[in-house]
Amino acid sequence: MNPALTQFGAQMSHLTGVRAIMKDIIETLKAGSGQEFINLSAGNPVILPEVEELWRDCTAQLLAGPEYGEVVCRYGSSQGYQPFIDAVLTDFNQRYGMNLTDRNILITPGSQSIYFYAANAFGGYTTSKQLKNIVLPLSPDYTGYGGVSLIPEAVVACKPTLDIDAAAHRFKYRPDFSQLSIDQTTGCVIFSRPCNPTGNVLGDDEVQKIADLAAVFDVPVFVDSAYGPPFPSLNFTEMTPIFGGNIVHCMSLSKAGLPGERIGIAIGDQKIIQILESFQTNMCIHSPRYGQAIATLAISSGALADISLNIIRPYYQSKFAIVETTLEQAMPKDLPWFLHRGEGAIFAWLWLKDLPMTDWELYQKLKEVGVIVVPGSSFFPGLREDWQHKHECLRISLTATNDEIETAMKHLAKLVEKVYRGPE
């Protein structure tokens, strides 16, 4: 059967970014013919024993309690499971000295859905046919932003400035406010903090400056805090969540051990939350309630914040240290390689300046030596200009074992040297 697709059907039936590359990676692993690969492509969090035990314990409590039938056998509010909303607002009011009410919170099927609602509620064409842009103030950023809008031309990204420490082989992306345009054509702003794929954390002053620029035009700013505090707390540098005004603070419990349950949390102005809730009602009625119910127990007890800070964060921070140390030892000092400063998330980001081939070609060569990473060019959604830097980066997952990461970095360094120096 070959049904005709609408404009939106054609747009949403294509894989974007990393999802398209994952198809190639899956086929590579299947066709390996006995070759062993170190797979550093995964975005799936590692199943840590302490984290799994937390969710098992919470599930046992739910099963033994009187709420089980109400949770799984009944429809619920489009806004979310009320005990979960109450647990989030109590935690945040106490932790951050806020004055949230339950009307400031929406629970969604994963945080990706928040950006889909936002991109299509605030971005795209207005009733008067004016195009409202979805602005990504710093690129590279989360590849999923490239597929959230039903109007792909609405997604617009800004090229950053590069803060380079050549002697240390480190660098950091920063927003280029001279290039960042937020005006009457802007529908909403979205960015991740900490950032997938780079681990970048925008400073408090940078976040506030973006929010202030947007506030002039009543533009909401969605801060994707899927890796931020208080859970999963995958920030390796000090950072303060910023709330209030036109900022919508967006969270996920995926990296806190519940990716399969799809739990997203949006915290923001009541009017914005109501718009997103209406969108959700029309789309899927409400989020699944089982995950919300066990997360209620984990948040209310304080166990989730504690395990995030003392188990999840140190685990991935130690993995980044292995990447960092191994590259420092194995990469030639005279080559122009730069590791993005590890400020959070579960990836490392490597820039190979003036790389003699594309990132995709290097990805293919790395597979030949048994290492799978993700080409960096997948992480520049909405960036219109042709920028060579896009084709010089790799995303490296921190989800493998210590030995696998060390071995893979040594293989990578050896191959990179060969690529730069050419055949002997």
Side-chain angles (χ1 to χ4, degrees):
M1 186 174 177
N2 189 27
L5 292 175
T6 65
Q7 175 187 345
F8 293 152
Q11 168 68 15
M12 299 305 288
S13 63
H14 288 96
L15 295 175
T16 60
V18 171
R19 287 293 175 182
I21 291 170
M22 288 308 294
K23 183 175 182 293
D24 178 80
I25 290 172
I26 290 168
E27 290 173 355
T28 297
L29 292 171
K30 285 182 178 178
S33 301
Q35 182 181 4
E36 292 188 5
F37 291 97
I38 299 175
N39 188 354
L40 302 183
S41 69
N44 245 339
V46 175
I47 301 175
L48 301 176
E50 298 90 343
V51 177
E52 183 179 9
E53 183 180 3
L54 168 65
W55 296 122
R56 284 182 182 274
D57 289 347
C58 290
T59 296
Q61 290 180 57
L62 175 62
L63 289 171
E67 285 293 307
Y68 179 80
E70 186 68 25
V71 167
V72 301
C73 303
R74 308 283 293 179
Y75 287 111
S77 163
S78 293
Q79 187 185 357
Y81 179 54
Q82 191 61 46
F84 183 54
I85 292 172
D86 292 341
V88 171
L89 76 85
T90 298
D91 184 277
F92 274 63
N93 283 345
Q94 292 177 351
R95 189 182 301 276
Y96 299 114
M98 301 177 69
N99 192 29
L100 296 172
T101 72
D102 60 2
R103 300 312 303 168
N104 297 117
I105 297 173
L106 175 67
I107 311 304
T108 66
S111 59
Q112 175 89 359
S113 60
I114 301 173
Y115 315 123
F116 182 80
Y117 303 162
N120 294 292
F122 302 108
Y125 290 97
T126 67
T127 54
S128 60
K129 308 302 182 184
Q130 180 191 10
L131 179 63
K132 290 283 192 175
N133 291 320
I134 300 130
V135 174
L136 313 181
L138 186 148
S139 188
D141 209 332
Y142 175 48
T143 184
Y145 301 151
V148 292
S149 176
L150 295 171
I151 311 296
E153 64 267 29
V155 181
V156 179
C158 300
K159 194 169 81 170
T161 59
L162 276 62
D163 184 351
I164 302 171
D165 183 345
H169 291 277
R170 298 292 183 277
F171 82 110
K172 175 179 169 64
Y173 294 112
R174 296 190 183 278
D176 184 350
F177 287 100
S178 69
Q179 301 296 317
L180 178 58
S181 177
I182 298 175
D183 55 28
Q184 66 277 1
T185 67
T186 306
C188 64
V189 176
I190 305 175
F191 59 88
S192 60
R193 180 184 189 242
C195 177
N196 169 5
T198 66
N200 191 28
V201 173
L202 270 65
D204 293 358
D205 57 336
E206 293 171 324
V207 174
Q208 195 60 60
K209 187 170 182 178
I210 292 169
D212 290 345
L213 289 171
V216 175
F217 301 96
D218 283 332
V219 169
V221 175
F222 293 84
V223 181
D224 180 351
S225 190
Y227 296 88
F231 17 82
S233 279
L234 276 166
N235 54 300
F236 307 152
T237 185
E238 286 296 319
M239 63 168 283
T240 306
I242 299 175
F243 307 94
N246 59 332
I247 292 176
V248 181
H249 183 77
C250 307
M251 301 172 58
S252 165
L253 297 190
S254 293
K255 303 308 184 289
L258 286 182
E261 289 309 305
R262 314 309 303 131
I263 301 176
I265 305 166
I267 302 173
D269 179 85
Q270 181 175 334
K271 290 182 179 179
I272 298 174
I273 293 298
Q274 285 178 338
I275 292 168
L276 300 177
E277 182 183 344
S278 295
F279 204 115
Q280 174 158 283
T281 304
N282 288 322
M283 183 171 165
C284 62
I285 305 179
H286 64 73
S287 308
R289 285 152 56 89
Y290 162 76
Q292 295 181 66
I294 62 172
T296 300
L297 300 169
I299 291 173
S300 298
S301 68
L304 184 56
D306 179 70
I307 214 163
S308 295
L309 195 62
N310 296 307
I311 300 296
I312 299 175
R313 178 195 287 175
Y315 179 85
Y316 289 102
Q317 195 165 12
S318 69
K319 300 289 184 180
F320 184 85
I322 294 170
V323 170
E324 194 170 36
T325 301
T326 308
L327 287 178
E328 285 176 348
Q329 294 172 349
M331 284 283 243
K333 298 291 188 290
D334 61 329
L335 293 184
W337 63 273
F338 301 94
L339 186 66
H340 195 285
R341 296 203 174 278
E343 298 177 334
I346 63 172
F347 307 104
W349 181 259
L350 182 64
W351 170 35
L352 300 167
K353 187 174 184 294
D354 301 322
L355 183 65
M357 59 178 58
T358 68
D359 59 323
W360 181 265
E361 290 168 335
L362 183 60
Y363 156 76
Q364 300 289 1
K365 285 193 170 294
L366 279 167
K367 288 195 297 183
E368 294 175 8
V369 296
V371 176
I372 299 177
V373 295
V374 179
S377 52
S378 308
F379 297 94
F380 293 81
L383 190 63
R384 306 293 169 78
E385 64 180 285
D386 187 19
W387 187 25
Q388 181 59 33
H389 180 88
K390 287 172 54 175
H391 307 287
E392 298 176 341
C393 301
L394 301 173
R395 190 189 78 172
I396 300 163
S397 173
L398 304 178
T399 56
T401 67
N402 292 354
D403 288 344
E404 286 174 333
I405 291 174
E406 182 177 351
T407 300
M409 290 305 96
K410 289 178 179 178
H411 288 337
L412 185 151
K414 186 175 181 180
L415 177 61
V416 166
E417 181 173 17
K418 184 178 179 181
V419 165
Y420 273 101
R421 306 221 193 274
E424 296 180 0

Coordinates of all heavy atoms in Angstrom, one line a residue, residues 46-60 256-259 290 294 304 307 311-312:
V46 N 23.1 4.4 31.3 CA 23.5 3.1 31.8 C 22.5 2.7 32.9 O 22.0 3.6 33.7 CB 24.9 3.2 32.4 CG1 25.3 1.9 33.1 CG2 25.9 3.5 31.3
I47 N 22.1 1.4 33.0 CA 21.3 0.9 34.1 C 22.2 0.7 35.3 O 22.8 -0.3 35.5 CB 20.6 -0.4 33.7 CG1 19.7 -0.2 32.5 CG2 19.7 -0.8 34.9 CD1 19.0 -1.4 32.0
L48 N 22.2 1.7 36.2 CA 23.0 1.7 37.4 C 22.3 0.9 38.5 O 21.1 1.1 38.7 CB 23.4 3.1 37.9 CG 24.1 4.0 36.9 CD1 24.3 5.3 37.5 CD2 25.5 3.3 36.6
P49 N 22.9 0.0 39.2 CA 22.2 -0.9 40.1 C 21.4 -0.1 41.2 O 20.3 -0.5 41.5 CB 23.3 -1.7 40.8 CG 24.4 -1.7 39.8 CD 24.3 -0.4 39.1
E50 N 22.0 0.9 41.7 CA 21.3 1.7 42.8 C 20.1 2.4 42.2 O 19.1 2.5 42.9 CB 22.3 2.8 43.4 CG 23.5 2.2 44.0 CD 24.7 2.0 43.1 OE1 24.5 2.0 41.8 OE2 25.8 1.9 43.5
V51 N 20.2 2.9 41.0 CA 19.0 3.5 40.4 C 17.9 2.6 40.1 O 16.7 2.8 40.3 CB 19.5 4.3 39.1 CG1 18.3 4.9 38.4 CG2 20.6 5.3 39.4
E52 N 18.3 1.4 39.5 CA 17.3 0.4 39.2 C 16.6 -0.1 40.5 O 15.4 -0.3 40.6 CB 17.9 -0.8 38.5 CG 16.9 -1.9 38.1 CD 17.5 -3.1 37.4 OE1 18.8 -3.1 37.4 OE2 16.8 -3.9 36.9
E53 N 17.4 -0.2 41.6 CA 16.8 -0.6 42.9 C 15.8 0.4 43.4 O 14.8 0.0 44.0 CB 18.0 -0.8 43.9 CG 17.5 -1.4 45.3 CD 18.6 -1.6 46.3 OE1 19.7 -1.3 45.9 OE2 18.3 -2.0 47.4
L54 N 16.2 1.7 43.2 CA 15.2 2.7 43.6 C 13.9 2.6 43.0 O 12.8 2.6 43.6 CB 15.8 4.1 43.3 CG 14.8 5.3 43.5 CD1 14.4 5.5 44.9 CD2 15.5 6.6 42.9
W55 N 13.9 2.3 41.7 CA 12.6 2.2 40.9 C 11.9 0.9 41.2 O 10.7 0.9 41.2 CB 12.9 2.4 39.4 CG 13.4 3.8 39.1 CD1 14.5 4.2 38.5 CD2 12.7 5.1 39.5 NE1 14.7 5.5 38.4 CE2 13.6 6.1 39.0 CE3 11.6 5.4 40.1 CZ2 13.3 7.4 39.2 CZ3 11.2 6.7 40.3 CH2 12.1 7.7 39.8
R56 N 12.7 -0.1 41.5 CA 12.0 -1.4 42.0 C 11.3 -1.2 43.3 O 10.2 -1.6 43.5 CB 13.1 -2.5 42.1 CG 13.6 -3.1 40.8 CD 14.6 -4.2 41.0 NE 15.1 -4.8 39.8 CZ 14.5 -5.7 39.1 NH1 13.3 -6.3 39.6 NH2 15.1 -6.2 38.0
D57 N 12.0 -0.5 44.2 CA 11.4 -0.3 45.5 C 10.1 0.6 45.4 O 9.1 0.3 46.1 CB 12.4 0.4 46.5 CG 13.6 -0.5 46.9 OD1 13.4 -1.8 46.7 OD2 14.6 0.0 47.4
C58 N 10.2 1.6 44.6 CA 9.0 2.5 44.4 C 7.9 1.7 43.8 O 6.7 1.9 44.1 CB 9.4 3.7 43.6 SG 10.5 4.9 44.5
T59 N 8.2 0.8 42.8 CA 7.2 0.0 42.2 C 6.5 -0.9 43.2 O 5.3 -1.1 43.2 CB 7.8 -0.8 41.0 OG1 8.3 0.1 40.0 CG2 6.8 -1.7 40.4
A60 N 7.4 -1.5 44.1 CA 6.8 -2.4 45.1 C 5.9 -1.7 46.0 O 4.8 -2.2 46.4 CB 8.0 -3.0 45.9
A256 N 17.4 10.1 34.8 CA 17.4 9.7 36.2 C 16.9 8.2 36.3 O 16.5 7.8 37.4 CB 16.5 10.6 37.0
G257 N 16.9 7.5 35.2 CA 16.6 6.1 35.2 C 15.3 5.7 34.7 O 14.9 4.5 34.8
L258 N 14.5 6.6 34.2 CA 13.1 6.2 33.7 C 12.9 6.6 32.2 O 11.8 7.2 31.9 CB 12.1 6.9 34.5 CG 11.8 6.4 35.9 CD1 10.7 7.1 36.6 CD2 11.5 4.9 35.9
P259 N 13.8 6.3 31.3 CA 13.6 6.7 29.9 C 12.4 6.0 29.3 O 11.7 6.5 28.4 CB 14.9 6.3 29.2 CG 15.5 5.3 30.1 CD 15.2 5.7 31.5
Y290 N 1.7 5.5 35.5 CA 2.5 4.6 36.3 C 3.8 5.2 36.7 O 4.2 5.3 37.9 CB 2.7 3.3 35.6 CG 3.8 2.5 36.2 CD1 3.7 1.8 37.4 CD2 5.1 2.4 35.5 CE1 4.7 1.0 37.9 CE2 6.1 1.7 36.1 CZ 5.9 1.0 37.3 OH 7.0 0.3 37.8
I294 N 5.3 6.3 40.6 CA 6.6 5.8 41.3 C 7.5 7.0 41.5 O 8.3 7.0 42.5 CB 7.2 4.6 40.6 CG1 7.7 4.9 39.2 CG2 6.3 3.4 40.6 CD1 8.5 3.8 38.6
L304 N 15.4 10.5 45.1 CA 15.8 10.7 43.7 C 16.9 11.8 43.7 O 17.8 11.7 42.9 CB 14.6 11.1 42.9 CG 14.9 11.3 41.4 CD1 15.5 10.0 40.8 CD2 13.6 11.7 40.7
I307 N 20.2 10.3 45.0 CA 20.8 9.3 44.2 C 21.4 10.0 42.9 O 22.4 9.6 42.3 CB 19.9 8.1 43.8 CG1 20.6 6.8 43.7 CG2 19.0 8.4 42.6 CD1 19.8 5.6 43.7
I311 N 25.2 9.3 43.0 CA 25.4 8.1 42.2 C 25.5 8.4 40.7 O 26.5 8.1 40.1 CB 24.3 7.0 42.4 CG1 24.2 6.6 43.9 CG2 24.5 5.8 41.5 CD1 25.5 5.9 44.4
I312 N 24.5 9.1 40.2 CA 24.4 9.3 38.7 C 25.5 10.3 38.3 O 26.3 10.0 37.3 CB 23.0 9.8 38.3 CG1 22.0 8.7 38.7 CG2 23.0 10.1 36.8 CD1 20.5 9.2 38.4

